[in-house]
Amino acid sequence: SQQGEEDPQALSIQEGENATMNCSYKTSINNLQWYRQNSGRGLVHLILIRSNEREKHSGRLRVTLDTSKKSSSLLITASRAADTASYFCAVYSSASKIIFGSGTRLSIRP
Amino acid sequence: DAGVIQSPRHEVTEMGQEVTLRCKPISGHDYLFWYRQTMMRGLELLIYFNNNVPIDDSGMPEDRFSAKMPNASFSTLKIQPSEPRDSAVYFCASTVRIGTVNTGELFFGEGSRLTVL
């Protein structure tokens, strides 16, 4: 079964707005990662947050992690048309497995 | 640098035929993962290898599926016999040592889109 569940499943926003996606997971983790997938392509790693971190930034990306609630969020600020893609969270557990969530389809309207 | 290379990119076959998907990981990466992606089930981990040894194949759906990694630069995923429900995009990904310090950041190939008629 999938480890992570993303919310919302789909999100459509205006260019320039911020996009927030959430991920919930079930077990203890070593780290949580976010990936992006453009249509018809492979996944690309965006950012990683370790289990002992609460927030991390990379360019227009901000990730938060709440291990007590077993949840994470990805914020993309000042969205651009090129941000249109599917976004997945992935949890790395102590079993060395990397399990992906169901993904959020993000559409940026020009 | 070459990334993860998968072949074929597209495969159309008839039910009952054998399908072999191939993957060349990034040089120096010692973990290799096979995932399957469908609309209904999302990204499923099928199997992963460490130093060419299968570590966990609990995600392999049936005995019809098998995976091998004869050396550090090549892996195959075989389906025999194939069925229409095997239609999916199959991804290979590699990474360097997964541990409490290393990240386990995955590098994905572009996938092999399989259609079984």
Side-chain angles (χ1 to χ4, degrees), chain A residues 1-2 30-31 33 35 37-46 48 50 86 88 90-102 105, chain B residues 9 31 33 35 37 39-45 48 55-56 58-59 91 95 98-111 113:
Chain A
S1 63
Q2 292 172 353
N30 284 326
N31 67 53
Q33 305 172 35
Y35 288 77
Q37 184 181 32
N38 286 72
S39 181
R41 306 296 299 276
L43 283 76
V44 175
H45 184 267
L46 293 177
L48 175 149
R50 293 188 169 85
S86 291
F88 295 87
V91 296
Y92 166 42
S93 69
S94 59
S96 295
K97 289 184 176 183
I98 302 175
I99 305 297
F100 284 80
S102 50
R105 293 189 310 279
Chain B
R9 288 294 312 277
Y31 279 83
F33 296 74
Y35 289 88
Q37 186 176 38
M39 288 294 292
M40 290 297 295
R41 299 177 68 87
L43 268 161
E44 301 173 276
L45 174 62
Y48 75 94
I55 302 301
D56 189 329
S58 60
F91 286 103
T95 190
I98 294 178
T100 56
V101 175
N102 278 13
T103 66
E105 172 188 343
L106 291 176
F107 294 80
F108 278 79
E110 294 288 11
R113 180 175 295 276

Short mmCIF file of all heavy atoms in Angstrom, two decimals, chain A residues 1-2 30-31 33 35 37-46 48 50 86 88 90-102 105, chain B residues 9 31 33 35 37 39-45 48 55-56 58-59 91 95 98-111 113:
data_model
loop_
_atom_site.label_atom_id
_atom_site.label_comp_id
_atom_site.label_asym_id
_atom_site.label_seq_id
_atom_site.Cartn_x
_atom_site.Cartn_y
_atom_site.Cartn_z
N SER A 1 0.85 -1.19 0.00
CA SER A 1 0.00 0.00 0.00
C SER A 1 0.88 1.23 0.00
O SER A 1 2.03 1.20 0.42
CB SER A 1 -0.92 0.01 1.21
OG SER A 1 -0.16 0.07 2.38
N GLN A 2 0.34 2.32 -0.49
CA GLN A 2 1.11 3.54 -0.56
C GLN A 2 1.35 4.07 0.84
O GLN A 2 0.48 4.04 1.69
CB GLN A 2 0.38 4.57 -1.41
CG GLN A 2 0.33 4.17 -2.88
CD GLN A 2 -0.56 5.09 -3.68
OE1 GLN A 2 -1.24 5.93 -3.13
NE2 GLN A 2 -0.58 4.93 -4.97
N ASN A 30 13.01 8.29 8.05
CA ASN A 30 14.32 8.91 8.14
C ASN A 30 14.30 10.29 7.47
O ASN A 30 14.91 11.23 7.96
CB ASN A 30 15.38 8.04 7.47
CG ASN A 30 15.76 6.86 8.33
OD1 ASN A 30 15.78 6.96 9.55
ND2 ASN A 30 16.03 5.73 7.71
N ASN A 31 13.65 10.34 6.34
CA ASN A 31 13.47 11.63 5.68
C ASN A 31 12.25 11.58 4.79
O ASN A 31 11.69 10.50 4.53
CB ASN A 31 14.73 12.05 4.89
CG ASN A 31 15.04 11.16 3.70
OD1 ASN A 31 14.18 10.92 2.86
ND2 ASN A 31 16.27 10.67 3.64
N GLN A 33 10.84 13.26 1.06
CA GLN A 33 11.31 13.93 -0.15
C GLN A 33 10.12 14.35 -1.00
O GLN A 33 9.06 13.72 -0.95
CB GLN A 33 12.21 12.98 -0.94
CG GLN A 33 13.38 12.43 -0.13
CD GLN A 33 14.14 11.34 -0.86
OE1 GLN A 33 14.28 11.40 -2.08
NE2 GLN A 33 14.65 10.37 -0.12
N TYR A 35 9.10 15.19 -5.07
CA TYR A 35 9.52 15.01 -6.46
C TYR A 35 8.49 15.68 -7.37
O TYR A 35 7.32 15.83 -7.01
CB TYR A 35 9.60 13.53 -6.83
CG TYR A 35 10.76 12.79 -6.22
CD1 TYR A 35 10.73 12.40 -4.89
CD2 TYR A 35 11.89 12.49 -6.97
CE1 TYR A 35 11.79 11.72 -4.32
CE2 TYR A 35 12.96 11.81 -6.41
CZ TYR A 35 12.90 11.42 -5.08
OH TYR A 35 13.96 10.76 -4.52
N GLN A 37 6.98 15.57 -11.48
CA GLN A 37 6.90 14.79 -12.70
C GLN A 37 6.15 15.57 -13.76
O GLN A 37 4.95 15.86 -13.59
CB GLN A 37 6.21 13.44 -12.46
CG GLN A 37 6.19 12.54 -13.69
CD GLN A 37 5.47 11.22 -13.45
OE1 GLN A 37 4.54 11.14 -12.66
NE2 GLN A 37 5.94 10.17 -14.13
N ASN A 38 6.83 15.91 -14.81
CA ASN A 38 6.17 16.50 -15.97
C ASN A 38 5.54 15.38 -16.79
O ASN A 38 5.98 14.23 -16.75
CB ASN A 38 7.17 17.27 -16.82
CG ASN A 38 7.58 18.57 -16.17
OD1 ASN A 38 8.31 18.57 -15.19
ND2 ASN A 38 7.07 19.67 -16.67
N SER A 39 4.51 15.72 -17.52
CA SER A 39 3.75 14.73 -18.26
C SER A 39 4.65 13.91 -19.19
O SER A 39 5.41 14.46 -19.97
CB SER A 39 2.66 15.43 -19.08
OG SER A 39 1.90 14.49 -19.80
N GLY A 40 4.57 12.59 -19.05
CA GLY A 40 5.32 11.70 -19.92
C GLY A 40 6.80 11.58 -19.58
O GLY A 40 7.56 10.99 -20.36
N ARG A 41 7.20 12.11 -18.44
CA ARG A 41 8.62 12.09 -18.07
C ARG A 41 8.83 11.35 -16.77
O ARG A 41 7.91 10.95 -16.07
CB ARG A 41 9.15 13.53 -17.92
CG ARG A 41 8.92 14.43 -19.12
CD ARG A 41 9.65 13.94 -20.36
NE ARG A 41 11.09 13.90 -20.20
CZ ARG A 41 11.90 14.94 -20.37
NH1 ARG A 41 11.41 16.11 -20.72
NH2 ARG A 41 13.21 14.79 -20.23
N GLY A 42 10.10 11.14 -16.42
CA GLY A 42 10.43 10.56 -15.13
C GLY A 42 10.33 11.59 -14.01
O GLY A 42 10.16 12.78 -14.26
N LEU A 43 10.43 11.10 -12.79
CA LEU A 43 10.34 12.00 -11.64
C LEU A 43 11.69 12.67 -11.40
O LEU A 43 12.75 12.06 -11.62
CB LEU A 43 9.93 11.23 -10.39
CG LEU A 43 8.45 10.87 -10.27
CD1 LEU A 43 8.07 9.72 -11.17
CD2 LEU A 43 8.09 10.57 -8.82
N VAL A 44 11.62 13.89 -10.91
CA VAL A 44 12.82 14.66 -10.61
C VAL A 44 12.77 15.09 -9.16
O VAL A 44 11.77 15.63 -8.69
CB VAL A 44 12.92 15.90 -11.53
CG1 VAL A 44 14.11 16.75 -11.13
CG2 VAL A 44 13.03 15.47 -12.99
N HIS A 45 13.86 14.85 -8.45
CA HIS A 45 13.95 15.20 -7.04
C HIS A 45 13.97 16.72 -6.88
O HIS A 45 14.70 17.43 -7.58
CB HIS A 45 15.22 14.60 -6.45
CG HIS A 45 15.38 14.82 -4.99
ND1 HIS A 45 16.07 15.90 -4.48
CD2 HIS A 45 14.94 14.13 -3.92
CE1 HIS A 45 16.05 15.83 -3.16
NE2 HIS A 45 15.37 14.76 -2.80
N LEU A 46 13.16 17.22 -5.92
CA LEU A 46 13.10 18.65 -5.67
C LEU A 46 13.80 19.03 -4.37
O LEU A 46 14.65 19.92 -4.34
CB LEU A 46 11.64 19.11 -5.58
CG LEU A 46 10.81 19.06 -6.87
CD1 LEU A 46 9.37 19.47 -6.56
CD2 LEU A 46 11.42 19.94 -7.94
N LEU A 48 14.52 17.63 0.02
CA LEU A 48 14.47 16.60 1.05
C LEU A 48 14.48 17.27 2.40
O LEU A 48 15.18 18.27 2.61
CB LEU A 48 15.68 15.68 0.90
CG LEU A 48 15.91 14.59 1.94
CD1 LEU A 48 16.60 13.40 1.29
CD2 LEU A 48 16.71 15.07 3.15
N ARG A 50 14.86 16.10 6.55
CA ARG A 50 15.16 15.00 7.44
C ARG A 50 14.16 14.98 8.59
O ARG A 50 13.53 15.98 8.92
CB ARG A 50 16.59 15.12 7.94
CG ARG A 50 17.62 14.91 6.85
CD ARG A 50 19.05 14.83 7.39
NE ARG A 50 19.97 14.38 6.36
CZ ARG A 50 20.54 15.17 5.47
NH1 ARG A 50 20.27 16.46 5.48
NH2 ARG A 50 21.36 14.68 4.56
N SER A 86 2.92 17.16 -11.91
CA SER A 86 2.45 16.40 -10.74
C SER A 86 3.56 16.39 -9.71
O SER A 86 4.75 16.29 -10.05
CB SER A 86 2.09 14.97 -11.13
OG SER A 86 0.94 14.93 -11.94
N PHE A 88 4.91 14.72 -6.03
CA PHE A 88 4.80 13.54 -5.18
C PHE A 88 5.67 13.69 -3.94
O PHE A 88 6.81 14.17 -4.04
CB PHE A 88 5.28 12.29 -5.93
CG PHE A 88 4.44 11.91 -7.12
CD1 PHE A 88 4.69 12.47 -8.36
CD2 PHE A 88 3.42 10.99 -7.00
CE1 PHE A 88 3.93 12.13 -9.47
CE2 PHE A 88 2.65 10.65 -8.11
CZ PHE A 88 2.91 11.22 -9.33
N ALA A 90 7.59 11.43 -1.00
CA ALA A 90 8.14 10.09 -0.87
C ALA A 90 8.78 9.97 0.49
O ALA A 90 9.52 10.86 0.92
CB ALA A 90 9.18 9.81 -1.96
N VAL A 91 8.49 8.90 1.19
CA VAL A 91 9.06 8.70 2.51
C VAL A 91 10.12 7.62 2.45
O VAL A 91 9.94 6.57 1.83
CB VAL A 91 7.97 8.37 3.55
CG1 VAL A 91 7.02 9.53 3.70
CG2 VAL A 91 7.21 7.11 3.20
N TYR A 92 11.23 7.90 3.10
CA TYR A 92 12.31 6.94 3.24
C TYR A 92 12.24 6.43 4.67
O TYR A 92 12.46 7.17 5.62
CB TYR A 92 13.65 7.60 2.94
CG TYR A 92 14.84 6.80 3.38
CD1 TYR A 92 14.89 5.42 3.18
CD2 TYR A 92 15.93 7.41 3.99
CE1 TYR A 92 15.99 4.69 3.61
CE2 TYR A 92 17.02 6.68 4.41
CZ TYR A 92 17.04 5.32 4.22
OH TYR A 92 18.12 4.61 4.64
N SER A 93 11.92 5.16 4.79
CA SER A 93 11.79 4.56 6.11
C SER A 93 13.05 3.82 6.49
O SER A 93 13.98 3.70 5.70
CB SER A 93 10.60 3.59 6.12
OG SER A 93 10.91 2.47 5.32
N SER A 94 13.10 3.30 7.67
CA SER A 94 14.28 2.58 8.15
C SER A 94 14.51 1.31 7.36
O SER A 94 15.59 0.74 7.40
CB SER A 94 14.14 2.26 9.63
OG SER A 94 12.99 1.47 9.85
N ALA A 95 13.52 0.85 6.63
CA ALA A 95 13.69 -0.37 5.83
C ALA A 95 14.39 -0.10 4.51
O ALA A 95 14.50 -0.98 3.68
CB ALA A 95 12.33 -1.00 5.57
N SER A 96 14.84 1.13 4.33
CA SER A 96 15.52 1.55 3.10
C SER A 96 14.59 1.58 1.90
O SER A 96 15.04 1.68 0.77
CB SER A 96 16.74 0.68 2.78
OG SER A 96 17.73 0.84 3.77
N LYS A 97 13.32 1.43 2.14
CA LYS A 97 12.37 1.58 1.05
C LYS A 97 12.05 3.06 0.86
O LYS A 97 12.03 3.83 1.82
CB LYS A 97 11.06 0.85 1.38
CG LYS A 97 11.15 -0.65 1.34
CD LYS A 97 9.76 -1.22 1.59
CE LYS A 97 9.76 -2.72 1.47
NZ LYS A 97 8.41 -3.29 1.64
N ILE A 98 11.78 3.44 -0.35
CA ILE A 98 11.32 4.79 -0.65
C ILE A 98 9.96 4.64 -1.31
O ILE A 98 9.86 4.14 -2.43
CB ILE A 98 12.31 5.54 -1.55
CG1 ILE A 98 13.68 5.61 -0.86
CG2 ILE A 98 11.80 6.95 -1.85
CD1 ILE A 98 14.77 6.23 -1.69
N ILE A 99 8.94 5.06 -0.57
CA ILE A 99 7.55 4.83 -0.98
C ILE A 99 6.92 6.16 -1.31
O ILE A 99 7.02 7.12 -0.54
CB ILE A 99 6.75 4.13 0.12
CG1 ILE A 99 7.44 2.83 0.55
CG2 ILE A 99 5.32 3.85 -0.34
CD1 ILE A 99 7.54 1.81 -0.54
N PHE A 100 6.23 6.20 -2.44
CA PHE A 100 5.65 7.43 -2.95
C PHE A 100 4.17 7.56 -2.61
O PHE A 100 3.46 6.56 -2.50
CB PHE A 100 5.82 7.51 -4.46
CG PHE A 100 7.21 7.86 -4.88
CD1 PHE A 100 8.21 6.89 -4.90
CD2 PHE A 100 7.54 9.16 -5.21
CE1 PHE A 100 9.50 7.22 -5.26
CE2 PHE A 100 8.83 9.49 -5.58
CZ PHE A 100 9.81 8.51 -5.60
N GLY A 101 3.75 8.80 -2.49
CA GLY A 101 2.35 9.11 -2.33
C GLY A 101 1.63 9.12 -3.65
O GLY A 101 2.21 8.83 -4.70
N SER A 102 0.37 9.48 -3.60
CA SER A 102 -0.49 9.41 -4.77
C SER A 102 -0.35 10.62 -5.68
O SER A 102 -0.80 10.58 -6.82
CB SER A 102 -1.95 9.25 -4.34
OG SER A 102 -2.27 10.24 -3.38
N ARG A 105 -1.79 16.90 -8.81
CA ARG A 105 -1.64 17.48 -10.15
C ARG A 105 -1.85 18.97 -10.03
O ARG A 105 -2.93 19.43 -9.68
CB ARG A 105 -2.65 16.87 -11.12
CG ARG A 105 -2.42 15.40 -11.42
CD ARG A 105 -3.33 14.91 -12.55
NE ARG A 105 -4.72 15.28 -12.34
CZ ARG A 105 -5.56 14.61 -11.56
NH1 ARG A 105 -5.14 13.55 -10.90
NH2 ARG A 105 -6.82 15.00 -11.43
N ARG B 9 11.51 2.65 -24.65
CA ARG B 9 10.66 3.72 -24.12
C ARG B 9 9.19 3.35 -24.27
O ARG B 9 8.37 3.73 -23.43
CB ARG B 9 10.93 5.03 -24.85
CG ARG B 9 12.26 5.69 -24.53
CD ARG B 9 12.33 6.15 -23.06
NE ARG B 9 11.17 6.89 -22.61
CZ ARG B 9 10.99 8.18 -22.81
NH1 ARG B 9 11.89 8.88 -23.47
NH2 ARG B 9 9.91 8.78 -22.34
N TYR B 31 22.30 1.46 -5.35
CA TYR B 31 20.92 1.03 -5.14
C TYR B 31 20.16 1.22 -6.45
O TYR B 31 20.29 2.25 -7.12
CB TYR B 31 20.23 1.85 -4.06
CG TYR B 31 20.56 1.41 -2.64
CD1 TYR B 31 21.72 1.85 -2.02
CD2 TYR B 31 19.71 0.56 -1.95
CE1 TYR B 31 22.02 1.45 -0.73
CE2 TYR B 31 20.00 0.17 -0.65
CZ TYR B 31 21.16 0.62 -0.05
OH TYR B 31 21.46 0.23 1.24
N PHE B 33 16.12 0.71 -8.04
CA PHE B 33 14.71 0.48 -7.73
C PHE B 33 13.92 0.34 -9.03
O PHE B 33 14.19 1.04 -10.00
CB PHE B 33 14.12 1.67 -6.97
CG PHE B 33 14.72 1.92 -5.61
CD1 PHE B 33 15.98 2.46 -5.47
CD2 PHE B 33 13.99 1.63 -4.46
CE1 PHE B 33 16.53 2.70 -4.22
CE2 PHE B 33 14.53 1.87 -3.20
CZ PHE B 33 15.79 2.40 -3.07
N TYR B 35 9.93 0.72 -10.19
CA TYR B 35 8.59 1.16 -9.83
C TYR B 35 7.66 0.96 -11.02
O TYR B 35 8.08 0.97 -12.16
CB TYR B 35 8.57 2.65 -9.46
CG TYR B 35 9.23 3.01 -8.16
CD1 TYR B 35 10.60 3.30 -8.11
CD2 TYR B 35 8.49 3.09 -6.98
CE1 TYR B 35 11.20 3.66 -6.91
CE2 TYR B 35 9.09 3.44 -5.78
CZ TYR B 35 10.44 3.72 -5.75
OH TYR B 35 11.04 4.07 -4.56
N GLN B 37 3.97 2.62 -12.48
CA GLN B 37 3.02 3.73 -12.31
C GLN B 37 1.78 3.51 -13.16
O GLN B 37 1.87 3.31 -14.38
CB GLN B 37 3.68 5.06 -12.69
CG GLN B 37 2.79 6.26 -12.40
CD GLN B 37 3.49 7.59 -12.69
OE1 GLN B 37 4.23 7.72 -13.65
NE2 GLN B 37 3.27 8.58 -11.84
N MET B 39 -2.58 4.94 -13.33
CA MET B 39 -3.52 5.93 -12.82
C MET B 39 -4.21 5.42 -11.56
O MET B 39 -4.44 6.16 -10.61
CB MET B 39 -4.55 6.27 -13.89
CG MET B 39 -4.00 7.10 -15.04
SD MET B 39 -3.50 8.74 -14.51
CE MET B 39 -5.08 9.44 -14.11
N MET B 40 -4.55 4.14 -11.56
CA MET B 40 -5.34 3.61 -10.45
C MET B 40 -4.50 3.42 -9.19
O MET B 40 -4.99 3.67 -8.08
CB MET B 40 -5.96 2.26 -10.87
CG MET B 40 -7.04 2.38 -11.91
SD MET B 40 -8.46 3.32 -11.31
CE MET B 40 -9.03 2.25 -9.99
N ARG B 41 -3.28 2.97 -9.34
CA ARG B 41 -2.49 2.57 -8.18
C ARG B 41 -1.30 3.48 -7.89
O ARG B 41 -0.59 3.27 -6.91
CB ARG B 41 -2.02 1.13 -8.36
CG ARG B 41 -3.17 0.12 -8.48
CD ARG B 41 -2.65 -1.28 -8.73
NE ARG B 41 -1.94 -1.80 -7.57
CZ ARG B 41 -2.53 -2.42 -6.55
NH1 ARG B 41 -3.84 -2.60 -6.57
NH2 ARG B 41 -1.83 -2.87 -5.54
N GLY B 42 -1.11 4.48 -8.75
CA GLY B 42 0.00 5.40 -8.51
C GLY B 42 1.35 4.73 -8.74
O GLY B 42 1.48 3.83 -9.56
N LEU B 43 2.34 5.16 -7.98
CA LEU B 43 3.70 4.62 -8.09
C LEU B 43 3.89 3.51 -7.07
O LEU B 43 3.88 3.74 -5.87
CB LEU B 43 4.72 5.72 -7.81
CG LEU B 43 5.24 6.51 -8.98
CD1 LEU B 43 5.85 7.81 -8.52
CD2 LEU B 43 6.26 5.71 -9.77
N GLU B 44 4.10 2.32 -7.57
CA GLU B 44 4.28 1.15 -6.70
C GLU B 44 5.74 0.69 -6.76
O GLU B 44 6.28 0.51 -7.85
CB GLU B 44 3.41 -0.01 -7.16
CG GLU B 44 1.92 0.25 -7.19
CD GLU B 44 1.19 -0.93 -7.82
OE1 GLU B 44 1.11 -0.97 -9.07
OE2 GLU B 44 0.72 -1.80 -7.08
N LEU B 45 6.33 0.47 -5.61
CA LEU B 45 7.67 -0.10 -5.57
C LEU B 45 7.57 -1.60 -5.80
O LEU B 45 6.88 -2.30 -5.08
CB LEU B 45 8.32 0.19 -4.21
CG LEU B 45 9.68 -0.46 -3.97
CD1 LEU B 45 10.71 0.04 -4.97
CD2 LEU B 45 10.15 -0.21 -2.54
N TYR B 48 13.82 -3.67 -5.08
CA TYR B 48 15.04 -2.89 -5.14
C TYR B 48 16.26 -3.74 -4.82
O TYR B 48 16.16 -4.76 -4.13
CB TYR B 48 14.96 -1.62 -4.28
CG TYR B 48 15.07 -1.80 -2.78
CD1 TYR B 48 16.30 -1.68 -2.13
CD2 TYR B 48 13.94 -2.02 -2.02
CE1 TYR B 48 16.39 -1.80 -0.76
CE2 TYR B 48 14.02 -2.15 -0.65
CZ TYR B 48 15.25 -2.02 -0.01
OH TYR B 48 15.34 -2.13 1.36
N ILE B 55 17.02 -6.93 -2.45
CA ILE B 55 16.83 -6.74 -1.02
C ILE B 55 15.37 -6.96 -0.62
O ILE B 55 15.08 -7.57 0.41
CB ILE B 55 17.28 -5.34 -0.58
CG1 ILE B 55 18.75 -5.11 -0.95
CG2 ILE B 55 17.06 -5.15 0.91
CD1 ILE B 55 19.72 -6.09 -0.33
N ASP B 56 14.47 -6.43 -1.41
CA ASP B 56 13.06 -6.54 -1.08
C ASP B 56 12.27 -6.64 -2.38
O ASP B 56 12.25 -5.70 -3.17
CB ASP B 56 12.61 -5.31 -0.29
CG ASP B 56 11.20 -5.45 0.27
OD1 ASP B 56 10.35 -6.13 -0.35
OD2 ASP B 56 10.92 -4.87 1.33
N SER B 58 8.98 -7.68 -2.24
CA SER B 58 7.61 -7.89 -1.77
C SER B 58 6.58 -7.16 -2.62
O SER B 58 5.39 -7.47 -2.57
CB SER B 58 7.47 -7.45 -0.31
OG SER B 58 7.80 -6.09 -0.16
N GLY B 59 7.02 -6.20 -3.40
CA GLY B 59 6.10 -5.48 -4.26
C GLY B 59 5.88 -6.10 -5.62
O GLY B 59 5.01 -5.66 -6.38
N PHE B 91 9.26 2.40 -14.20
CA PHE B 91 10.40 3.29 -13.97
C PHE B 91 11.51 2.56 -13.24
O PHE B 91 11.26 1.76 -12.33
CB PHE B 91 9.99 4.50 -13.13
CG PHE B 91 9.18 5.52 -13.86
CD1 PHE B 91 7.81 5.60 -13.68
CD2 PHE B 91 9.80 6.42 -14.72
CE1 PHE B 91 7.06 6.55 -14.35
CE2 PHE B 91 9.05 7.37 -15.40
CZ PHE B 91 7.67 7.43 -15.21
N THR B 95 20.29 5.28 -6.83
CA THR B 95 20.80 6.23 -5.85
C THR B 95 22.06 5.65 -5.23
O THR B 95 22.36 4.47 -5.35
CB THR B 95 19.74 6.53 -4.77
OG1 THR B 95 20.18 7.62 -3.97
CG2 THR B 95 19.49 5.33 -3.87
N ILE B 98 22.11 4.41 0.75
CA ILE B 98 21.03 4.91 1.59
C ILE B 98 21.44 4.68 3.03
O ILE B 98 21.78 3.60 3.44
CB ILE B 98 19.72 4.18 1.30
CG1 ILE B 98 19.25 4.51 -0.12
CG2 ILE B 98 18.66 4.53 2.30
CD1 ILE B 98 17.99 3.80 -0.51
N GLY B 99 21.35 5.69 3.82
CA GLY B 99 21.71 5.53 5.23
C GLY B 99 21.21 6.72 6.01
O GLY B 99 20.58 7.61 5.46
N THR B 100 21.53 6.78 7.27
CA THR B 100 21.03 7.88 8.08
C THR B 100 21.66 9.20 7.68
O THR B 100 21.11 10.26 7.92
CB THR B 100 21.30 7.63 9.57
OG1 THR B 100 22.70 7.41 9.74
CG2 THR B 100 20.55 6.41 10.06
N VAL B 101 22.80 9.14 7.01
CA VAL B 101 23.45 10.37 6.59
C VAL B 101 23.14 10.67 5.14
O VAL B 101 22.74 11.76 4.78
CB VAL B 101 24.98 10.31 6.78
CG1 VAL B 101 25.65 11.54 6.21
CG2 VAL B 101 25.31 10.13 8.25
N ASN B 102 23.29 9.67 4.30
CA ASN B 102 22.97 9.89 2.89
C ASN B 102 21.48 10.05 2.69
O ASN B 102 20.68 9.63 3.50
CB ASN B 102 23.50 8.73 2.05
CG ASN B 102 24.97 8.91 1.75
OD1 ASN B 102 25.61 9.75 2.34
ND2 ASN B 102 25.48 8.14 0.82
N THR B 103 21.12 10.65 1.59
CA THR B 103 19.75 11.11 1.42
C THR B 103 18.81 10.08 0.85
O THR B 103 17.62 10.14 1.10
CB THR B 103 19.72 12.33 0.49
OG1 THR B 103 20.12 11.90 -0.82
CG2 THR B 103 20.63 13.42 0.98
N GLY B 104 19.33 9.18 0.03
CA GLY B 104 18.41 8.30 -0.69
C GLY B 104 17.70 9.03 -1.80
O GLY B 104 16.64 8.60 -2.24
N GLU B 105 18.26 10.16 -2.27
CA GLU B 105 17.66 10.88 -3.39
C GLU B 105 17.69 10.00 -4.63
O GLU B 105 18.75 9.52 -5.05
CB GLU B 105 18.44 12.17 -3.66
CG GLU B 105 18.01 12.90 -4.91
CD GLU B 105 18.92 14.07 -5.23
OE1 GLU B 105 19.67 14.50 -4.34
OE2 GLU B 105 18.91 14.53 -6.39
N LEU B 106 16.53 9.80 -5.22
CA LEU B 106 16.42 8.92 -6.38
C LEU B 106 16.58 9.69 -7.68
O LEU B 106 16.07 10.80 -7.83
CB LEU B 106 15.05 8.23 -6.39
CG LEU B 106 14.80 7.19 -5.29
CD1 LEU B 106 13.37 6.67 -5.38
CD2 LEU B 106 15.79 6.05 -5.40
N PHE B 107 17.27 9.06 -8.62
CA PHE B 107 17.40 9.57 -9.97
C PHE B 107 16.64 8.61 -10.87
O PHE B 107 16.97 7.42 -10.94
CB PHE B 107 18.87 9.65 -10.38
CG PHE B 107 19.65 10.66 -9.59
CD1 PHE B 107 20.13 10.37 -8.33
CD2 PHE B 107 19.90 11.92 -10.11
CE1 PHE B 107 20.84 11.30 -7.59
CE2 PHE B 107 20.62 12.86 -9.39
CZ PHE B 107 21.09 12.55 -8.13
N PHE B 108 15.63 9.13 -11.55
CA PHE B 108 14.74 8.30 -12.35
C PHE B 108 15.13 8.31 -13.83
O PHE B 108 15.60 9.32 -14.36
CB PHE B 108 13.30 8.81 -12.25
CG PHE B 108 12.58 8.34 -11.02
CD1 PHE B 108 12.79 8.97 -9.79
CD2 PHE B 108 11.68 7.29 -11.07
CE1 PHE B 108 12.13 8.55 -8.66
CE2 PHE B 108 11.01 6.86 -9.94
CZ PHE B 108 11.24 7.49 -8.73
N GLY B 109 14.87 7.17 -14.47
CA GLY B 109 14.88 7.14 -15.92
C GLY B 109 13.59 7.73 -16.45
O GLY B 109 12.70 8.13 -15.69
N GLU B 110 13.47 7.76 -17.78
CA GLU B 110 12.28 8.34 -18.40
C GLU B 110 11.12 7.36 -18.48
O GLU B 110 10.03 7.72 -18.89
CB GLU B 110 12.63 8.86 -19.80
CG GLU B 110 13.61 10.02 -19.81
CD GLU B 110 12.99 11.31 -19.30
OE1 GLU B 110 11.87 11.30 -18.74
OE2 GLU B 110 13.61 12.36 -19.44
N GLY B 111 11.37 6.12 -18.09
CA GLY B 111 10.30 5.14 -18.04
C GLY B 111 10.12 4.34 -19.31
O GLY B 111 10.54 4.76 -20.40
N ARG B 113 6.96 2.68 -21.26
CA ARG B 113 5.49 2.58 -21.31
C ARG B 113 5.11 1.27 -21.97
O ARG B 113 5.39 1.06 -23.14
CB ARG B 113 4.89 3.76 -22.06
CG ARG B 113 3.36 3.71 -22.15
CD ARG B 113 2.80 4.95 -22.80
NE ARG B 113 3.04 6.14 -21.99
CZ ARG B 113 2.28 6.53 -20.98
NH1 ARG B 113 1.20 5.82 -20.65
NH2 ARG B 113 2.57 7.64 -20.32
#
